[in-house]
Amino acid sequence: MFKSVFQIFVMAAALCLPLSATAANPVLVGMNTPVTGASAGEAVYFTKAAKLAEKHANDAGVNIKLIIQDNQSTNPGALQALNKSIEQDKVFAVLGPIKSTQVLAISDRVKQAEIPTLIGGTNVNLTHQGNPWFFRCRPDDSIVVHVMLKYIREDMKLNKIGVLHDADAFGTGGADLVARLAPQYGLTLVKREKYTTKDKDYTAQLLSLKAAGTEVMIHYGTNVEDVAVCQRQFRQLGLPYKYLGSPSSAVNDTLSLAGKAAEGVLAVADAIPDGTREYRDYAQAYMKEYGEEMDAWAAWNYDALMILAKAIKEVGPDRAKVRKAILGLRDYQGVLGTYSFTDNGDGRHSACIVEVKNGHPVLKKVVTVSAE
Amino acid sequence: MDMTINVQLLFSGLAMGSIYALIALGIVIIYRAADVVNFAQGELVMLPAFIAVFLLDTMGLPAVAVYPLVIICMGLVGFIFEKVAYYPLRNRSFLPVIISTIGVSIFLKNGAQYVFGALPQVMPRPTDVEVLVLGGVIIDPQYIIIIVSTSLLLVAQHFFFERTMLGKMMQATAQDKDAARLMGIPIARMIAITFIFSTILASVAGLLVGPLFYVTKEMGGMAGLKGFCGAIIGGFGSVTGAILGSVFLGVIEVYLAFYVSSAYRDAFAFIIMILVLLFRPQGILGERIAQKA
């Protein structure tokens, strides 16, 4: 009698095992991030954010385990790292890269392996290429550009815009969008200037924008050192126009490098600084865990992983069901704002304008726009 | 066109050109003495900047002490560099040595990330003055510091090579090793000193651009290539040529970026280099194309 009860108990336990992630069997999540290479600085913050999410998810009873794979800041590296995650680590889902080109590089493999992949790349096309396994956890570039242009028109009440952008895919894509969408807001693009990543002297570009009669410059920059150098030279040259930057213009890294030079710079930001309870809770938990201030730019990693954990908690570790659960998410309050996923996998639909004051981004206005 | 803009561009060009010149010189004097091209020259610009940030920020030493200390450290690095990357290969053709310098460059880049971390760092500026305004022209004071320091260093170097015994011995080594050896000049030691000297030039460049560029492991890469370009434009192997070529490159680059296209700024540098190689392979001031004695 006792023996058969015990047997039934063991059998029941064995049956439950694959469904519930137990301590012995956590759900593995691969993280595809630049530990080395040109953007190695970012990964420091990204992994901190993701590790915090891993901890919080585990506290909430979803046993996930993060396995970091270095994408070396390159496209082949991103693909290699993904293959490692799939073949060697046998992960359930992937927390993907933030660079759009790297997201593109892994797209086919993700589609083929049918692995839920949460991405931070903001190129509009990424979620419009029929890959059902991408879930974007940041506002795409068209939203960011709409927000900037709307703000210039309605709040700054200026007309003549100049664009300075990194000649890489991100900067060029952003500048193209500005050029295309500006007429919709009745704005004139008077001059477009670019630079190659890691350029150290922006005098020529900044002065050329001045000569063209620019009233506000939109800076679409990728690399934080570049943005910081540019902000310093912008201030030194005492230029007559306003500075409105892409999100990299007001992240901690840029601000700590640029120091005083960043004062008064306007930028688009993914998150509303101190705007929500979630933001403050996260900032507090981050401070407690690492003894330093959180970086809003990296926080999408936290939100993405928490969204994944929520889906796994609801439907169990089944990829198709998790996909449905994420797409079905409505008004999820993350650190950076509200997430509601569209069918093509876009989670965010708003951004805000911040101004740098005393070395910190301070909210000017939250702007919500409908995606194209 | 507005005159003040042109003057501003000129200063930014002269400052960048000065940095390229220091790097180009380092490459050229090693080439003259040892017949090899050192592709780690850019990383020898990056390393002193990291050391300076460490000493200034983490250790809290005053700048007066830090600059000489960094230069002494880098002299030592130059010595080790010669012993590790050049000396064991000195009797081989130039190719293995070039590969070995590329190896050192990769090692230094990744080593710097390992030791100093991946985040870009701020190197404090020697002066608190934010901008200089001279008759409507706005200039970064660091540009002036770069231009003046480089000019002083070049004058000092000229005296060193022309007026001191050691300088003359180094020159003799560069011109004709066999004859120098017959004169009783210790060739191996002279080459080691040349490497140290070249590393010190690079570290001065690093200390000068550190406050301007922010300190990252990648900071020396493009500057190193531009220095190489400058040396070729001026006439590879010629000291005066390396200086003139680099300053010319720094200035022309800024003007082309302003008046033609900023996107192709780096491309212009290499296009000019290719044009020089096509139409005047010996460079502006180079010796005739014949192999140097």
Side-chain angles (χ1 to χ4, degrees), chain A residues 236-249:
Chain A
Q236 281 176 334
L237 292 171
L239 293 162
Y241 48 83
K242 300 265 185 216
Y243 182 122
L244 173 59
S246 62
S248 58
S249 289

Side-chain angles (χ1 to χ4, degrees), chain A residues 241-264:
Chain A
Y241 48 83
K242 300 265 185 216
Y243 182 122
L244 173 59
S246 62
S248 58
S249 289
V251 295
N252 283 0
D253 256 9
T254 306
L255 298 183
S256 67
L257 287 176
K260 273 187 300 183
E263 284 304 292

